Amino acid sequence: MTQRTESARVALNKLVQDPSDAVAGIRDGSVVLVGGWGGVGVPDVLIDAVARLGASGLVVATNNCGMGRPADVGLLFRNGQVGRVIATYPVHPAATDFLARFESGEVELELIPQGTLAERLRAAGAGLGGFFTPTGAGTLLTERRETRVIDGLEHVLEPPLRGDFALIRAERSDELGNLRFRYAARGLNPVMAMAARTTVVQVDELVPAGRIHPDDVHLPGIFVDRILVSGGVP
Amino acid sequence: MTQRTESARVALNKLVQDPSDAVAGIRDGSVVLVGGWGGVGVPDVLIDAVARLGASGLVVATNNCGMGRPADVGLLFRNGQVGRVIATYPVHPAATDFLARFESGEVELELIPQGTLAERLRAAGAGLGGFFTPTGAGTLLTERRETRVIDGLEHVLEPPLRGDFALIRAERSDELGNLRFRYAARGLNPVMAMAARTTVVQVDELVPAGRIHPDDVHLPGIFVDRILVSGGVP
Amino acid sequence: MSRPGWDVPQQARQVARRLPRGGYVNLGIGLPAAVADQIDPDQHVVFHCENGLIGYRGMVGGDDPDPDVIDAGSRQVALIPGAAVVGHDLSFAIARGGRLDATVLGAYQVSADGDLANWTTPAARLSGVGGAMDLALGAKQVIVMMRHRARDGAPKIVQRCSYPLTARRCVGLVVTELAVIEVTADGLAVRQLAPDITFDDLQNATDAPLLAPSATP
Amino acid sequence: MSRPGWDVPQQARQVARRLPRGGYVNLGIGLPAAVADQIDPDQHVVFHCENGLIGYRGMVGGDDPDPDVIDAGSRQVALIPGAAVVGHDLSFAIARGGRLDATVLGAYQVSADGDLANWTTPAARLSGVGGAMDLALGAKQVIVMMRHRARDGAPKIVQRCSYPLTARRCVGLVVTELAVIEVTADGLAVRQLAPDITFDDLQNATDAPLLAPSATP
């Protein structure tokens, strides 16, 4: 008589060999959290695999909407796979594929403050039902949100943002999925891993269990379901 | 025309030499967050300094209420300095000083689930106005909380828990207050540091800036105001 | 004086062998702590502690005790290769966010429909709650490991809890020194009896009606 | 073609020297990024970037660029001794939790009472917001660093913003290529004029009334 029905996350056998196995299960309409900030920490091989998979009508949460790299999140717009995107900074001049789909009305955009994006992801990961924040209160971005004055300051109620899948990138993983990130490539990757039912990580390097000191783990493997070792799209 | 009036946290000159300087400013009625979980990560020299300072009517947030060590949070109960305590597990048999003050009605107890304590502290640190959680809904512990059904599950609205001071302990600090904790001694120390207007850390070891790799910092120095180097109460 | 049923290590083994292979499992304080000592390493269960240690095991001969490596009851434990440490905020985000495959908790009372009472009694003027509510609500499966009766002999498996609740309808399995009992939609189904215990013994020690092993699928 | 007033490095120095000594300061994208290049190291300002880097500086000769060490505008920067890295959740907890002594942001419009409009224009069909709202609300002091007029010549310091707001009454100081202007309870007080700029020049380029340096305490 369990209350949650998600499949068990197991500490064992997280390693997948093929990019297509890494993204298996992403379906039309899936909510996919895509890590990376600007050009760093981008899970390019996983994005490329989603492009090959061909699922469409995806709801994508991302910081940017593409920076003109061969396989950043822009590829999913180019392929017409995105139905809705939740983003904070979609206006980079190189986000031409997003722009075209947005202009034609094929893609719906939910623009949210960057801190609210991070906090909504974390709220999902932490099992919260939502939170009040003053960020964005009284602006166009929160017109449809419930509001409440707390300590004299107007707050908006933000819901958790849960993903079916998170596609993230890390520098290093051990066999249990304990991750290390490198400088600004950390970004949203850890909170996205927390917020998804299935978290897939692309890592540059795999090391044996025990090689990363327990106090040096950035994100524990309990948040990681599948590990793909790959240095990136050539 | 700033919105916040707290004094500036400066990256410079965080080091204090004397325990009394470390806790200066704690006054009657101050809200003091005291780190440590069970017997580990306990800022004993700082607690001892508060005992010498003699402020009373303190509102203390802590996991436990004492484990019978010479200078754990129990000392503040022994001294009659605590008016109200927010705790998750005050029933350890060694918490005799708390017990006596509680039985006599001198100390008021707010008992909260451990995860809610951590989350309320983090909410304060993250500038949130509160959050909805299912934990504790429908129990005696949340009888006075606002409730709301979210996704079919009853949630309670929990407010942030902000401290005037946080007294925490870390293994190591650099000159800028970047901290490393050791195993289970991490505990509530980092979130308490986030939640307080003034955060004081007792560290076993001080190292020069640059000695801790930026990717190996557990808690950045921006959350730390004062550093006292001390190996503990003899 | 020998008591009927399993001893604590045997009871802990009954819990341990039912934990999901390769799963992440939290162990509460008290009796559940013993499960870490009885797990078969080939099950590859990773134990999570509310204090932020993920991946620990019971101490064995030759282990050096480390004062900062302790379980929820402040008992010395050891870390496995691949262990990780987080603060309480993340430790409870894990528990509350649904990342634990199971938690093993002690209890004062468990009801026929899986209600759990394990943090206070009606008589208590003072109680501790710790992580009980977070874990009972957040883990995918809640296993209760407890003595079958209270010290005063009162049955702890009851039709309806008379003690203040920790969480409703959360318990899936109850392991006492007398039996392993599953909470099912049809009622409390006995899955295994301790060697020297009969079904009638068990029913006599239990307030709520039990379904005998033969009567359950 | 030379334009009147300070060049970008000079303008950045005007901002830099007004940053609190030993303070934690966030720099937004665009013009504010240049402040990291103009800070006096003896001020011991620690720069925070929304991407999670805390403690960076502009590149100097001999620095090795690292692709993962970049500022909010993806410009190469270098880390100082004592730098720390956090994820976006903690980076924005810092910003929203009131830990930043100041943030330097670009703007489309600033009003006489410190309202900030810097994320979209009425004509825009598409906008980005990034961390603007988090920072404008969370930092203890908001400093705007911008060109004095828009590309079409329209004044950007206005009596009342006509563009959608980022946050109300948050801006404390405005530094343009023409002047340093403080938002006070009495109005917009000119604190410093660029060498070749007169007060009348400045007022002519500004929609809101200004208080002349001599008229302000």
Side-chain angles (χ1 to χ4, degrees):
Chain A
M1 198 179 280
T2 64
Q3 297 192 315
R4 313 217 175 215
T5 55
E6 295 109 297
S7 63
R9 275 162 198 269
V10 295
L12 286 170
N13 306 330
K14 293 181 178 182
L15 211 61
V16 293
Q17 298 300 331
D18 195 274
S20 65
D21 295 333
V23 301
I26 296 181
R27 287 194 289 264
D28 291 356
S30 288
V31 180
V32 184
L33 317 175
V34 182
W37 180 85
V40 299
V42 177
D44 56 357
V45 173
L46 300 178
I47 292 167
D48 188 67
V50 174
R52 290 168 196 273
L53 183 73
S56 67
L58 301 176
V59 178
V60 170
T62 173
N63 194 84
N64 308 81
C65 285
M67 298 275 285
R69 310 286 174 98
D72 63 20
V73 71
L75 177 58
L76 304 182
F77 294 104
R78 193 178 323 150
N79 273 6
Q81 294 178 266
V82 184
R84 195 159 76 86
V85 62
I86 303 160
T88 76
Y89 202 78
V91 290
H92 193 283
T96 49
D97 295 304
F98 160 74
L99 273 165
R101 300 286 178 179
F102 176 78
E103 295 282 337
S104 70
E106 288 166 82
V107 170
E108 188 189 339
L109 168 68
E110 179 183 348
L111 185 70
I112 62 174
Q114 197 173 342
T116 296
L117 175 60
E119 203 65 48
R120 285 182 60 190
L121 291 164
R122 187 191 171 280
L128 305 181
F131 58 88
F132 284 103
T133 175
T135 295
T139 73
L140 292 181
L141 290 190
T142 61
E143 279 180 320
R144 275 173 271 178
R145 294 276 186 243
E146 177 181 333
T147 64
R148 178 182 299 205
V149 175
I150 301 172
D151 288 340
L153 194 61
E154 191 181 9
H155 286 64
V156 292
L157 177 61
E158 292 284 352
L161 174 51
R162 182 176 287 277
D164 296 312
F165 284 81
L167 309 181
I168 69 164
R169 183 159 182 178
E171 180 190 21
R172 184 178 307 152
S173 176
D174 71 13
E175 291 160 320
L176 276 78
N178 292 308
L179 302 184
R180 294 269 303 174
F181 303 90
R182 192 167 182 281
Y183 298 121
R186 195 179 315 189
L188 286 168
N189 286 306
V191 274
M192 285 184 164
M194 290 175 65
R197 292 186 180 84
T198 300
T199 292
V200 189
V201 63
Q202 170 188 338
V203 296
D204 292 296
E205 187 191 5
L206 183 78
V207 297
R211 186 70 64 81
I212 304 175
H213 189 281
D215 281 333
D216 288 339
V217 171
H218 289 155
L219 184 81
I222 195 167
F223 291 115
V224 174
D225 300 281
R226 303 176 193 167
I227 305 164
L228 179 75
V229 185
S230 172
V233 168
Chain B
M1 197 178 284
T2 65
Q3 297 194 315
R4 314 216 174 214
T5 56
E6 297 109 298
S7 62
R9 280 161 194 267
V10 295
L12 286 171
N13 305 328
K14 294 181 178 183
L15 211 61
V16 294
Q17 298 299 331
D18 194 272
S20 65
D21 294 334
V23 301
I26 296 182
R27 288 194 288 263
D28 293 356
S30 287
V31 179
V32 184
L33 318 174
V34 181
W37 179 86
V40 300
V42 177
D44 55 358
V45 173
L46 300 177
I47 292 168
D48 187 67
V50 175
R52 290 167 196 273
L53 182 73
S56 68
L58 300 176
V59 178
V60 169
T62 173
N63 194 83
N64 308 84
C65 284
M67 299 274 286
R69 310 285 174 98
D72 63 19
V73 72
L75 177 58
L76 303 182
F77 294 104
R78 193 176 323 149
N79 275 5
Q81 294 178 269
V82 184
R84 194 159 76 86
V85 62
I86 302 160
T88 75
Y89 202 76
V91 291
H92 193 283
T96 51
D97 295 306
F98 160 73
L99 273 165
R101 301 284 179 181
F102 176 78
E103 296 282 338
S104 70
E106 289 166 81
V107 169
E108 187 190 337
L109 169 68
E110 180 182 347
L111 185 70
I112 62 173
Q114 196 172 344
T116 297
L117 175 59
E119 202 66 47
R120 284 182 60 190
L121 290 164
R122 187 189 172 280
L128 304 181
F131 58 88
F132 284 103
T133 175
T135 295
T139 73
L140 292 181
L141 290 190
T142 61
E143 279 180 320
R144 275 173 272 177
R145 293 273 186 248
E146 177 181 334
T147 64
R148 179 182 299 204
V149 175
I150 301 171
D151 288 339
L153 193 61
E154 192 182 8
H155 286 63
V156 292
L157 178 60
E158 293 284 352
L161 174 52
R162 181 176 288 276
D164 295 313
F165 284 82
L167 309 181
I168 69 164
R169 183 158 182 178
E171 181 190 20
R172 184 179 305 152
S173 177
D174 71 13
E175 291 160 320
L176 276 78
N178 292 307
L179 302 184
R180 293 269 304 175
F181 303 90
R182 191 168 182 280
Y183 298 121
R186 194 179 315 189
L188 286 168
N189 286 307
V191 272
M192 284 184 165
M194 290 174 66
R197 291 186 180 83
T198 300
T199 291
V200 189
V201 63
Q202 170 187 339
V203 296
D204 293 299
E205 187 191 6
L206 183 77
V207 297
R211 187 71 64 81
I212 304 175
H213 189 281
D215 281 334
D216 288 340
V217 171
H218 289 155
L219 184 79
I222 194 167
F223 291 116
V224 174
D225 300 282
R226 303 177 193 167
I227 305 165
L228 178 74
V229 184
S230 171
V233 168
Chain C
M1 190 186 79
S2 121
R3 294 197 287 194
W6 292 307
D7 63 15
V8 170
Q10 289 168 332
Q11 187 182 350
R13 268 197 294 280
Q14 291 297 333
V15 174
R17 70 189 193 80
R18 286 174 171 84
L19 296 179
R21 183 174 157 75
Y24 290 98
V25 178
N26 174 282
L27 301 178
I29 60 173
L31 281 180
V35 174
D37 301 322
Q38 301 300 330
I39 193 81
D40 178 349
D42 288 341
Q43 268 181 269
H44 294 283
V45 167
V46 176
F47 290 115
H48 163 276
C49 180
E50 60 189 51
N51 67 15
L53 302 188
I54 308 169
Y56 69 91
R57 59 170 174 76
M59 300 284 277
V60 296
D63 280 342
D64 257 341
D66 183 312
D68 292 332
V69 181
I70 53 179
D71 74 3
S74 292
R75 203 178 61 126
Q76 291 287 338
V77 294
L79 295 175
I80 65 168
V85 180
V86 295
H88 286 195
D89 50 334
L90 203 51
S91 177
F92 281 92
I94 286 167
R96 295 154 70 123
R99 300 291 173 173
L100 295 172
D101 297 299
T103 184
V104 186
L105 299 174
Y108 295 135
Q109 290 184 329
V110 177
S111 82
D113 51 6
D115 288 354
L116 172 66
N118 79 343
W119 70 278
T120 191
T121 67
R125 294 172 53 197
L126 176 66
S127 313
V129 63
M133 289 184 181
D134 309 284
L135 291 161
L137 212 69
K140 287 173 196 155
Q141 190 189 7
V142 177
I143 299 172
V144 163
M145 179 179 175
M146 64 176 186
R147 300 283 304 167
H148 205 87
R149 293 172 184 263
R151 281 196 195 140
D152 66 2
K156 297 172 74 173
I157 301 175
V158 294
Q159 190 55 38
R160 200 183 150 83
C161 293
S162 59
Y163 286 17
L165 290 188
T166 305
R168 285 188 194 282
R169 294 176 171 273
C170 61
V171 179
L173 196 72
V174 182
V175 179
T176 75
E177 78 282 15
L178 303 185
V180 176
I181 299 167
E182 189 179 344
V183 182
T184 75
D186 298 326
L188 297 169
V190 178
R191 293 301 182 208
Q192 191 169 344
L193 287 162
D196 45 354
I197 305 299
T198 69
F199 180 78
D200 287 345
D201 294 338
L202 190 71
Q203 184 63 76
N204 286 339
T206 307
D207 177 61
L210 300 173
L211 303 171
S214 57
T216 58
Chain D
M1 190 187 77
S2 126
R3 294 198 285 193
W6 293 307
D7 64 16
V8 170
Q10 288 168 331
Q11 186 182 352
R13 267 197 294 280
Q14 292 297 333
V15 174
R17 70 190 193 80
R18 287 173 171 85
L19 296 178
R21 183 172 157 76
Y24 290 97
V25 178
N26 174 282
L27 301 179
I29 60 173
L31 282 180
V35 174
D37 300 323
Q38 300 301 329
I39 194 81
D40 177 351
D42 288 340
Q43 268 181 268
H44 294 283
V45 166
V46 177
F47 290 115
H48 164 276
C49 180
E50 59 188 51
N51 67 15
L53 302 188
I54 308 169
Y56 69 90
R57 58 169 174 77
M59 300 286 276
V60 296
D63 281 341
D64 256 343
D66 183 312
D68 291 332
V69 181
I70 53 178
D71 73 4
S74 293
R75 203 178 61 128
Q76 291 286 338
V77 293
L79 295 176
I80 65 168
V85 180
V86 295
H88 286 195
D89 51 335
L90 204 50
S91 176
F92 281 92
I94 287 167
R96 296 155 70 124
R99 301 290 172 173
L100 296 172
D101 297 299
T103 184
V104 185
L105 299 174
Y108 294 136
Q109 289 184 330
V110 177
S111 82
D113 50 6
D115 290 352
L116 173 66
N118 78 343
W119 69 277
T120 190
T121 67
R125 294 174 53 196
L126 175 67
S127 313
V129 64
M133 290 184 181
D134 310 284
L135 290 161
L137 211 69
K140 288 172 194 154
Q141 190 189 8
V142 176
I143 300 171
V144 163
M145 179 179 174
M146 64 177 187
R147 299 286 301 170
H148 205 87
R149 295 171 184 262
R151 281 198 195 139
D152 65 1
K156 297 172 74 173
I157 301 175
V158 293
Q159 191 55 37
R160 198 184 153 82
C161 293
S162 59
Y163 287 16
L165 289 189
T166 304
R168 285 189 193 282
R169 292 174 170 277
C170 61
V171 179
L173 196 72
V174 181
V175 179
T176 75
E177 79 282 15
L178 303 183
V180 176
I181 300 167
E182 188 178 344
V183 181
T184 76
D186 298 326
L188 296 170
V190 178
R191 295 300 182 207
Q192 190 169 346
L193 287 162
D196 46 354
I197 304 299
T198 69
F199 179 78
D200 287 346
D201 292 340
L202 190 69
Q203 184 62 76
N204 286 338
T206 307
D207 176 60
L210 301 173
L211 304 171
S214 56
T216 57

